[in-house]
Amino acid sequence: LDGNKALTEEVLGLLIGVLRDAAALKSGGKSLLENLKSESQKISDSLTLGKILYMYETADDLLKSLANNPNYTLLSAVLCAKI
């Protein structure tokens, strides 16, 4: 999160996708992200479903708040504090 809104949105979007994929894997489903399958699998193997969903919700909330609050330093601090 370096102050570049487009890059921040892209990174958060990828994180949300990987976390959603990890939750599906943890629940017995299949990976939908072929190019990030190993990352999703690592998260699925190392975290509980509850933690994965919490991280997903946190990243999703941050992505939504990005439109209202362009302070990237604060956004980064909130992300670190919540995770």
Side-chain angles (χ1 to χ4, degrees):
L1 307 177
D2 67 352
N4 182 327
K5 183 177 180 180
L7 183 58
T8 302
E9 288 175 340
E10 184 178 347
V11 169
L12 286 173
L14 286 170
L15 178 60
I16 289 166
V18 168
L19 291 169
R20 183 178 46 239
D21 209 48
L25 290 169
K26 192 73 166 185
S27 300
K30 293 182 180 181
S31 175
L32 298 176
L33 299 176
E34 252 338 285
N35 57 336
L36 296 169
K37 186 175 183 177
S38 65
E39 288 81 359
S40 299
Q41 188 64 57
K42 287 177 188 176
I43 292 171
S44 176
D45 291 343
S46 61
L47 298 176
T48 65
L49 181 58
K51 287 183 182 180
I52 295 169
L53 293 176
Y54 176 77
M55 290 175 66
Y56 170 86
E57 291 170 4
T58 300
D60 190 51
D61 289 345
L62 287 172
L63 184 59
K64 290 174 185 172
S65 71
L66 185 61
N68 300 328
N69 183 6
N71 184 334
Y72 297 97
T73 303
L74 180 59
L75 189 69
S76 181
V78 168
L79 177 61
C80 292
K82 289 191 172 210
I83 292 179

